[in-house]
Amino acid sequence: MTDGQERVQPSGVWATAVGVARVRALETERENALFRDPLAQAFAAAGGLWPSSPPPDDEAARHRRLAVSFSIVIRTKFLDDVLQQASASGVRQVVLLGAGMDSRAFRMDWPEGTRLFEVDTAAPLEFKASVLRQERAVARCERITVAVDLREDWPGALAAAGHDAAVPTAWIAEGLLIYLPQDAVELLMARVSAHSAAGSRMGLTLGSRGVIERFGADAVPGSAASMWVSEMPDDPVGWLAGHGWKASCHTLRERAAAYGRPISTPAQGEERPGGLISAVRR
């Protein structure tokens, strides 16, 4: 440790955030990177995932791992775009639900007056804070952390931290909903909708239909895929309309092609793990 404090070590679901940071660090090293995340390598190293590589595995497991990594890269770019569009529309309030090792407060350019709330449990926020101190990271907007479990009264904690439900908010739930049972997903969406003024924006990632069977059924215990429990509804646009949002749904294949990273394998349903949703509060 270089910051003089004992660092909380990753465990449980939130430990997957360190794996996501490793993927973002690898993307950052690419010459044609879709984004640059200068803090990702520090998060991965602090969690013991840099510069070490994943353990050897069979071809099928390797394919699954690469597919998940690819989906993380594409979804990161997609949600960056959602936030840039929200900023361009005048939204100056951002909430990252289950923020994990997200570093958008530090790596993106934000308009003056932007307030960004990171909502997560205490353990990942403490881990993250120790790395940020070590790296002497400086946020590019007003950054506010909210330590609360999303199964508890997080809207109350968010309001106490200064969130104003009367003005538009850009909400991001990245790699989150797939870990929540369906009733918890519905409750989360109801709460988000209840605290979203007209003109609010939202970016979501949802597990595509059948992804748990294809990727999670024989996943290594403790791995991200082994903890997946929910998939997108048959009609995600209609589902969000019922909550008061006008949504657009994209597959990873569609967005990957748009970003110059086309998937070369033939389409078999939606074989990559995650649907990409952008929405506007009506």
Side-chain angles (χ1 to χ4, degrees), residues 76-169:
T76 299
K77 167 63 173 169
F78 175 80
L79 295 174
D80 283 358
D81 290 350
V82 169
L83 288 172
Q84 289 169 348
Q85 292 159 8
S87 292
S89 74
V91 177
R92 297 292 180 265
Q93 190 167 237
V94 178
V95 178
L96 308 179
L97 296 170
M101 300 303 108
D102 191 299
S103 66
R104 290 185 171 96
F106 302 87
R107 67 175 179 81
M108 293 182 66
D109 293 324
W110 297 100
E112 184 177 355
T114 298
R115 308 181 78 202
L116 186 149
F117 299 85
E118 296 188 8
V119 181
D120 213 326
T121 54
L125 289 177
E126 290 169 6
F127 175 93
K128 187 174 189 175
S130 70
V131 175
L132 293 174
R133 287 193 298 269
Q134 177 181 305
E135 297 298 309
R136 295 180 171 84
V138 178
R140 298 182 178 184
C141 60
E142 182 181 359
R143 173 178 175 262
I144 302 164
T145 59
V146 184
V148 64
D149 193 308
L150 289 172
R151 295 170 294 186
E152 299 172 357
D153 179 23
W154 62 264
L158 185 61
H163 178 259
D164 185 356
V167 300
T169 301

Side-chain angles (χ1 to χ4, degrees), residues 4 36 39 41 50 63 91 114 121 132 183 203 216 241 256 258 275:
R36 303 284 180 187
L39 291 170
Q41 187 178 124
W50 193 273
H63 171 77
V91 177
T114 298
T121 54
L132 293 174
D183 59 344

Side-chain angles (χ1 to χ4, degrees), residues 30-275:
R30 290 178 61 121
E31 183 178 352
N32 63 339
L34 295 181
F35 55 85
R36 303 284 180 187
D37 187 343
L39 291 170
Q41 187 178 124
F43 291 135
L49 294 183
W50 193 273
S52 61
S53 300
D57 46 26
D58 60 33
E59 186 63 25
R62 178 177 176 275
H63 171 77
R64 290 193 296 270
R65 177 165 51 80
L66 290 175
V68 171
S69 296
F70 183 84
S71 74
I72 290 169
V73 170
I74 301 303
R75 82 187 192 196
T76 299
K77 167 63 173 169
F78 175 80
L79 295 174
D80 283 358
D81 290 350
V82 169
L83 288 172
Q84 289 169 348
Q85 292 159 8
S87 292
S89 74
V91 177
R92 297 292 180 265
Q93 190 167 237
V94 178
V95 178
L96 308 179
L97 296 170
M101 300 303 108
D102 191 299
S103 66
R104 290 185 171 96
F106 302 87
R107 67 175 179 81
M108 293 182 66
D109 293 324
W110 297 100
E112 184 177 355
T114 298
R115 308 181 78 202
L116 186 149
F117 299 85
E118 296 188 8
V119 181
D120 213 326
T121 54
L125 289 177
E126 290 169 6
F127 175 93
K128 187 174 189 175
S130 70
V131 175
L132 293 174
R133 287 193 298 269
Q134 177 181 305
E135 297 298 309
R136 295 180 171 84
V138 178
R140 298 182 178 184
C141 60
E142 182 181 359
R143 173 178 175 262
I144 302 164
T145 59
V146 184
V148 64
D149 193 308
L150 289 172
R151 295 170 294 186
E152 299 172 357
D153 179 23
W154 62 264
L158 185 61
H163 178 259
D164 185 356
V167 300
T169 301
W171 303 87
I172 298 292
E174 180 174 7
L176 170 66
L177 302 187
I178 200 169
Y179 294 103
L180 302 178
Q182 192 57 45
D183 59 344
V185 171
E186 290 295 339
L187 177 59
L188 183 79
M189 189 55 53
R191 286 173 161 178
V192 166
S193 301
H195 294 82
S196 295
S200 291
R201 303 287 182 116
M202 181 166 55
L204 306 175
T205 63
L206 295 166
S208 57
R209 302 298 294 178
V211 71
I212 294 175
E213 180 181 355
R214 292 195 298 275
F215 287 80
D218 57 352
V220 176
S223 66
S226 71
M227 294 181 275
W228 294 347
V229 294
S230 72
E231 300 175 351
M232 71 168 67
D234 291 327
D235 178 12
V237 172
W239 171 61
L240 286 170
H243 285 283
W245 297 84
K246 181 179 180 180
S248 299
C249 182
H250 310 271
T251 67
L252 284 161
R253 183 178 292 273
E254 292 167 348
R255 288 293 85 203
Y259 299 149
R261 296 278 182 88
I263 299 172
S264 58
T265 56
Q268 297 178 358
E270 178 47 49
E271 60 187 21
R272 295 310 198 263

